Amino acid sequence: MITCNEIETDSHSILSRIVTILLFLLAQLVATLLIGSVALAVSFEPVWSAEAQPAAFIKPSDARAGSLLLKNDDGYADATRLGIDVDITVSGPTIRARVTQLFRNPTQQWVEATYVYPLPDGGAVDTLKMVVGDRVIVGDIKERQQARVIYEQAKQNGQKAALTEQERPNIFTNSLANIGPGQTVLVQIEYQEPVHQSGNEFSLRVPLVVAPRYNPAPVVQTADLRADGSGWGATKSDPVPDRDRISPQVADPEENAPANPTSITVRLQAGFPLGEVKSHHHQVQIESPDETTRVIHLANGPVPADRDFELTWKAAAEQAPSVGLFREHVGSADYLLAFVTPPSAAQVEQKQLAREVIFVIDNSGSMGGTSIVQAKASLVYALGRLRPNDRFNVIRFDDTMDVLFPSSVPADNRHLDTALSFVNGLQARGGTEMVPAMRAALTDNAGLDGDDVRQVVFLTDGAIGNEQQLFDTIAAMRGRSRVFMVGIGSAPNTFLMTRAAELGRGAFTHIGSVDQVEERMRGLFAKLENPVVTGLAATFSNAAADITPAALPDLYRDEPLVLAAKLDRLAGSIEIKGRIGDRPWMVTLPLANAAEGKGISKLWARRKISDAEVARTMRQMSPEEADKAILALALEHRLVSRLTSLVAIDKTPSRPVGEPLKLTELPLNLPAGWDFEKVFGERARLPVQPTERRADAEAAKTQLALLKRPAVVPAPSTITLPKTATDAEAKMMAGSILLALGLILLAVNRRQRFAR
């Protein structure tokens, strides 16, 4: 017979075991969370999310854009928009950037996310990582079509997969397949680029938003296909065949809280004592660990991705290094990166040649808002800098075009007054037909017989999709003209600007705010008015070298020559020579003095790829030859290019068989300063009050996990990490419940013992 004391003892024993098990489980959960935090070095920050209200959205072909839209059978369902973290390290002449994108699927459906985003056009993208559950999958470089096939097969198999593709050198697309209900997935890319230098100022630019592009309509041509005229045929050519891939949805700022919250950190290790460090478009906090180092953070936390981030720095003594030489050994080759700034040509005495300056101003709809104000102010300043012996003309364009004077006129008061009235009366409207305006500007009646200097100053935001048509026009018609591109606004198309200036043997200047107009235009005219360093050549004394750029460009005032080379050995010296005005100039640099650098081999390969694209445009290489060279370089150096992509596949299927997959498209913000109605037409007014929008933005909070560990694995691999793509909030809640239950049972147990 079992006694009451035995029953009581058994109950106490059972309770004790339950408490022990619960406490063990709780301790295991806490340990897992702690190990995960240490292993991932993850930090959490609050970011914006438009989670509560349905969002209006616009696609290029129809209506509005919102936060994150999940396409379903009934149309679009609202979902959470998550954030981006940009972590940059500047090491002397090179920049290493890590961009982490966090996606969360709050729906009960399996989704595929696609996101179009910008990167610097000179960036060498070489790393893709995807965090899935307890693993980090490192991507591999493949030919573009092969990578797409691998991704599509993994998507069909229910495996998580990430694909990074280049749409333009400055526009990329990330696709992420099979995000499960409630799951959070991180995708991280890394890229390398050189620091930009102008005189004693160094800078970097992080593009944060892809501005809406104007894409000219396809051209349909008809032709008589028969000799007797009895039959007709039609051919269709599309100047922007990938228009759908570079035209993401754009949020209407009148109807949506800011989206795409972005955190930015810059670790600046200049290699010389620093003077002024300045962020031009964002408020920042700057820490100064020592005289050569600065750590820069956004002052007010994450910001909406609606304008480029620009950082500049100067040497403490206003004396920037005029020469820099850096080396890297990879495989059996040595790679060299040289920065050489010739002496200022301002002191060189020369006869001032008469100039013909053709000003072109973009007054299309994308220039609405503050951009047209900046452009007009810049042109007014430029007209005021013309000399009496100069001639000029002004061209304005949207989807139409006007040339102010039948031909170039003297820069006298009468003609300048007419031009000022013309410029002041401009308003932003219509499409962006840039190619006809460039043709008109490059039409040179005097031709090579002209004895003046012919310069084209082109002011635009560059928001077009048919860049190649513009490049072909410049290559075919440049003649003796030199093309100077002036980028206007918060998010200019820097790829178009830099490539057009390169093909036009000119320079590129960016004006991001009205406050920069006078300073930046003064710098531009210093280039226009001073002698050019010409005839540049570089030779190596004791090494065979593959140099990029293949043809060294002319240099304008304060511009450095940036040269990269692949060497069979690091020996001897490099000699660079040219002419400043009418005077010879030369510098010799011993290679033994080169400092150690990182990522130089990738910068060399990226610039060689750019050389091949330019040679193709200039008809110096056939399309087949150019593609072969680009593919070989990209595969050897593991770079994303027009012909290669990075793909990462989780080998473990996650989406159940038969479960449908929904497409997710992530819209972007309208670039800061743009006028939505000028670009997309008048909106249908919705009854949303500003106070309600602010309340939505403040009430909807998410967590942005920042993956900080750099990828060092050169081939596809899997690294085991604590689970980060599961529902952390649910785990924490469950842990709290278990802890509370354990404490209650422990108290009951003790009470019963005291009762005995």
Side-chain angles (χ1 to χ4, degrees):
M1 184 176 180
I2 300 175
T3 65
C4 291
N5 287 337
E6 288 173 334
I7 294 174
E8 187 177 26
T9 300
D10 288 342
S11 67
H12 288 319
S13 176
I14 293 170
L15 287 172
S16 297
R17 290 178 181 176
I18 292 173
V19 170
T20 301
I21 292 171
L22 291 174
L23 291 176
F24 173 77
L25 291 173
L26 178 63
Q28 193 176 39
L29 176 63
V30 172
T32 300
L33 291 175
L34 289 175
I35 293 171
S37 299
V38 174
L40 277 175
V42 173
S43 64
F44 294 90
E45 295 184 38
V47 298
W48 292 290
S49 169
E51 196 170 344
Q53 298 291 334
F57 66 93
I58 183 156
K59 288 182 71 72
S61 58
D62 43 56
R64 310 269 183 252
S67 93
L68 164 62
L69 301 175
L70 303 183
K71 186 179 289 185
N72 57 34
D73 296 336
D74 299 322
Y76 287 89
D78 190 49
T80 305
R81 165 65 68 86
L82 297 178
I84 302 166
D85 176 65
V86 182
D87 191 277
I88 295 174
T89 299
V90 179
S91 302
T94 61
I95 298 166
R96 184 69 179 176
R98 182 187 302 122
V99 180
T100 304
Q101 300 167 356
L102 183 150
F103 304 91
R104 183 173 184 272
N105 173 20
T107 74
Q108 297 303 308
Q109 298 174 322
W110 288 82
V111 301
E112 176 191 8
T114 60
Y115 179 55
V116 181
Y117 59 98
L119 289 177
D121 58 279
V125 180
D126 60 5
T127 298
L128 167 67
K129 292 195 296 184
M130 175 177 62
V131 179
V132 176
D134 60 350
R135 299 170 301 283
V136 173
I137 295 93
V138 180
D140 193 17
I141 195 74
K142 300 287 184 183
E143 290 190 43
R144 181 164 185 159
Q145 292 182 349
Q146 182 185 4
R148 171 57 70 173
V149 169
I150 293 171
Y151 172 82
E152 293 293 340
Q153 185 62 55
K155 181 174 73 173
Q156 182 178 345
N157 294 342
Q159 299 165 281
K160 284 188 174 61
L163 178 66
T164 298
E165 297 174 291
Q166 175 185 304
E167 312 302 337
R168 298 286 189 277
N170 63 336
I171 300 179
F172 289 74
T173 301
N174 271 352
S175 300
L176 184 61
N178 293 311
I179 309 176
Q183 286 187 335
T184 298
V185 180
L186 294 99
V187 174
Q188 184 180 87
I189 64 164
E190 297 184 27
Y191 65 86
Q192 191 93 4
E193 68 167 328
V195 168
H196 177 73
Q197 181 183 358
S198 179
N200 68 339
E201 184 177 84
F202 300 81
S203 65
L204 65 83
R205 176 180 297 278
V206 182
L208 295 179
V209 62
V210 176
R213 298 291 197 261
Y214 173 81
N215 300 315
V219 178
V220 178
Q221 294 179 325
T222 59
D224 186 355
L225 301 179
R226 299 181 183 179
D228 60 2
S230 60
W232 288 86
T235 60
K236 182 178 179 180
S237 61
D238 192 344
V240 194
D242 59 348
R243 61 182 66 230
D244 290 337
R245 296 188 62 83
I246 63 169
S247 303
Q249 301 165 0
V250 179
D252 184 345
E254 286 291 320
E255 300 168 6
N256 297 275
N260 270 354
T262 302
S263 298
I264 301 174
T265 301
V266 179
R267 295 169 179 83
L268 173 58
Q269 300 164 350
F272 51 81
L274 284 162
E276 180 187 47
V277 177
K278 183 177 181 181
S279 169
H280 292 268
H281 311 303
H282 295 82
Q283 293 184 348
V284 296
Q285 292 179 340
I286 301 177
E287 302 171 8
S288 304
D290 56 60
E291 64 177 5
T292 65
T293 305
R294 299 291 185 270
V295 180
I296 298 96
H297 303 276
L298 295 175
N300 301 313
V303 297
D306 64 356
R307 70 194 70 195
D308 291 356
F309 176 84
E310 182 184 12
L311 188 76
T312 59
W313 59 95
K314 298 180 180 179
E318 294 296 330
Q319 284 291 331
S322 60
V323 173
L325 202 59
F326 304 87
R327 69 178 187 271
E328 181 185 39
H329 185 80
V330 178
S332 60
D334 287 287
Y335 294 86
L336 195 74
L337 183 65
F339 290 77
V340 181
T341 303
S344 174
Q347 305 302 321
V348 178
E349 292 184 6
Q350 70 161 8
K351 179 182 178 181
Q352 286 190 343
L353 296 176
R355 293 180 301 160
E356 179 186 7
V357 186
I358 311 300
F359 298 103
V360 185
I361 183 169
D362 178 353
N363 69 294
S364 63
S366 66
M367 295 286 289
T370 59
S371 293
I372 193 65
V373 176
Q374 297 167 25
K376 289 164 67 172
S378 301
L379 185 44
V380 167
Y381 178 89
L383 290 169
R385 286 291 296 260
L386 292 174
R387 300 185 297 248
N389 61 334
D390 292 336
R391 293 182 303 123
F392 78 101
N393 208 341
V394 179
I395 299 171
R396 69 106 214 134
F397 73 93
D398 40 50
D399 50 74
T400 62
M401 182 181 69
D402 285 322
V403 181
L404 180 57
F405 302 109
S407 60
S408 295
V409 296
D412 53 34
N413 290 336
R414 180 170 64 87
H415 290 113
L416 288 173
D417 287 344
T418 301
L420 290 172
S421 298
F422 177 76
V423 172
N424 288 328
L426 293 178
Q427 295 183 351
R429 57 162 296 279
T432 313
E433 292 290 348
M434 191 176 295
V435 172
M438 182 64 80
R439 286 198 188 105
L442 293 175
T443 299
D444 181 9
N445 295 325
L448 297 178
D449 296 331
D451 57 0
D452 53 1
V453 177
R454 194 170 197 277
Q455 300 166 335
V456 174
V457 179
F458 206 105
L459 300 98
T460 179
D461 57 13
I464 61 171
N466 58 324
E467 292 102 329
Q468 191 58 46
Q469 280 192 325
L470 186 76
F471 302 153
D472 291 340
T473 298
I474 296 173
M477 297 186 62
R478 68 181 187 180
R480 66 188 180 102
S481 302
R482 292 180 180 265
V483 179
F484 296 82
M485 302 298 293
V486 181
I488 299 294
S490 59
N493 183 353
T494 54
F495 162 59
L496 179 140
M497 305 292 182
T498 53
R499 180 63 58 83
E502 179 182 6
L503 292 169
R505 299 164 301 178
F508 164 50
T509 300
H510 173 237
I511 297 174
S513 68
V514 176
D515 295 339
Q516 293 180 322
V517 167
E518 184 172 351
E519 174 194 358
R520 298 287 169 92
M521 290 301 291
R522 188 188 308 119
L524 174 61
F525 268 83
K527 301 179 191 300
L528 297 177
E529 295 169 352
N530 284 283
V532 179
V533 183
T534 58
L536 284 165
T539 56
F540 287 83
S541 62
N542 291 40
D546 187 349
I547 300 174
T548 176
L552 300 186
D554 296 342
L555 298 180
Y556 294 89
R557 182 178 179 180
D558 293 333
E559 286 186 340
L561 172 65
V562 182
L563 177 150
K566 180 181 179 180
L567 310 175
D568 61 346
R569 56 177 176 164
L570 195 70
S573 61
I574 177 176
E575 180 183 85
I576 301 173
K577 59 184 178 181
R579 301 188 68 82
I580 303 177
D582 296 328
R583 298 183 182 183
W585 166 79
M586 183 181 71
V587 62
T588 301
L589 306 174
L591 300 189
N593 294 342
E596 289 288 343
K598 294 181 180 180
I600 295 174
S601 63
K602 294 185 183 296
L603 293 181
W604 173 84
R606 185 68 187 83
R607 289 171 62 100
K608 288 289 291 184
I609 289 173
S610 179
D611 283 351
E613 297 284 14
V614 170
R616 178 177 177 169
T617 299
M618 297 296 297
R619 305 294 191 268
Q620 297 165 348
M621 294 178 73
S622 69
E624 294 76 19
E625 291 172 335
D627 287 356
K628 182 179 179 180
I630 291 168
L631 183 60
L633 286 163
L635 290 176
E636 179 183 355
H637 294 270
R638 293 179 47 81
L639 299 180
V640 178
S641 70
R642 178 170 55 84
L643 301 175
T644 53
S645 303
L646 280 166
V647 61
I649 306 297
D650 183 13
K651 295 181 179 179
T652 305
S654 57
R655 177 165 55 90
V657 177
E659 190 74 24
L661 184 67
K662 303 297 182 181
L663 175 63
T664 300
E665 298 177 355
L666 286 81
L668 306 178
N669 293 314
L670 189 71
W674 281 43
D675 186 324
F676 188 88
E677 292 185 346
K678 293 287 187 181
V679 180
F680 298 110
E682 293 187 5
R683 59 174 65 83
R685 298 292 177 180
L686 298 180
V688 180
Q689 299 301 321
T691 54
E692 293 174 357
R693 290 197 300 272
R694 285 196 298 269
D696 290 343
E698 294 171 1
K701 304 271 186 186
T702 60
Q703 294 292 342
L704 171 60
L706 311 182
L707 181 59
K708 296 296 184 184
R709 297 179 65 185
V712 295
V713 184
S717 62
T718 299
I719 307 167
T720 300
L721 290 177
K723 291 185 177 181
T724 59
T726 54
D727 202 332
E729 295 91 339
K731 282 189 173 183
M732 296 177 68
M733 184 176 295
S736 300
I737 293 172
L738 289 174
L739 177 61
L741 181 59
L743 292 174
I744 292 172
L745 292 174
L746 182 62
V748 171
N749 191 17
R750 288 184 176 179
R751 183 176 180 182
Q752 290 176 344
R753 286 183 179 177
F754 283 123
R756 292 202 305 267

